[in-house]
Amino acid sequence: MTQQLIGGITLADWAREWKPVKGGLSTRHDELKGSVGVFRLRHRNEVLYIGCAREYANGGLMKRLFDFIRPGDSGRKHYAGQKIFEHRETLEVDVIVTGSDHKAGWTAQSLKTALLKQKKPAWNATCN
């Protein structure tokens, strides 16, 4: 059986790239500015949401994660955003950085799609 390659890397190899984000959603993560990739939100090791950030020139993963907790509600107009905001203090965050350019954004989107098919997180209800 041939394994699907995403950006030239197997899904199993990508899975080894998850890095925890210290402080979760309690703060803005300037260290992720301009980085694109995939993020997952967990509670007690259950993956509840998988998302991605493709806009490297617009803040990348830093902006996407901050959208869920910032004062405005633009990140909370959908079901998942509301759930994330509601549980923001107990969620653990992990990221896979795919890069910092246009191609890395497409890799992140493809990786997110593959991970959603594999994990089927509860808060990604519209994607299951």
Side-chain angles (χ1 to χ4, degrees), residues 15 21 24 33 39 57 63 65 70 72 80 91 102 111 123 126-127:
V21 176
K33 185 174 185 177
F39 62 92
K63 180 192 177 297
L65 293 172
R70 67 186 174 92
L91 293 172
H102 185 73
L111 182 55
W123 295 349
T126 59
C127 299

Side-chain angles (χ1 to χ4, degrees), residues 35-39 51-56 60-62 64 98 104-105 108:
S35 296
V36 298
V38 178
F39 62 92
C52 74
R54 298 184 350 182
E55 298 177 345
Y56 57 93
L61 282 161
M62 177 200 71
R64 185 69 183 100
T98 57

Side-chain angles (χ1 to χ4, degrees), residues 1 3-4 25 39 41 50 54 65 68 76 82 88 108 110 116 128:
M1 181 169 112
Q3 291 189 6
Q4 175 187 6
L25 293 175
F39 62 92
L41 304 176
I50 295 174
R54 298 184 350 182
L65 293 172
F68 294 117
R76 298 187 293 278
Q82 293 167 7
R88 67 192 176 278
S110 298
L116 287 173
N128 293 336

Side-chain angles (χ1 to χ4, degrees), residues 83-119:
K83 297 297 282 183
I84 292 164
F85 184 75
E86 183 181 325
H87 298 277
R88 67 192 176 278
E89 294 186 17
T90 60
L91 293 172
E92 297 173 74
V93 181
D94 304 302
V95 298
I96 296 175
V97 174
T98 57
S100 59
D101 60 14
H102 185 73
K103 183 179 177 185
W106 286 107
T107 299
Q109 181 64 48
S110 298
L111 182 55
K112 174 188 168 187
T113 299
L115 290 167
L116 287 173
K117 288 179 184 175
Q118 182 185 62
K119 298 289 182 188

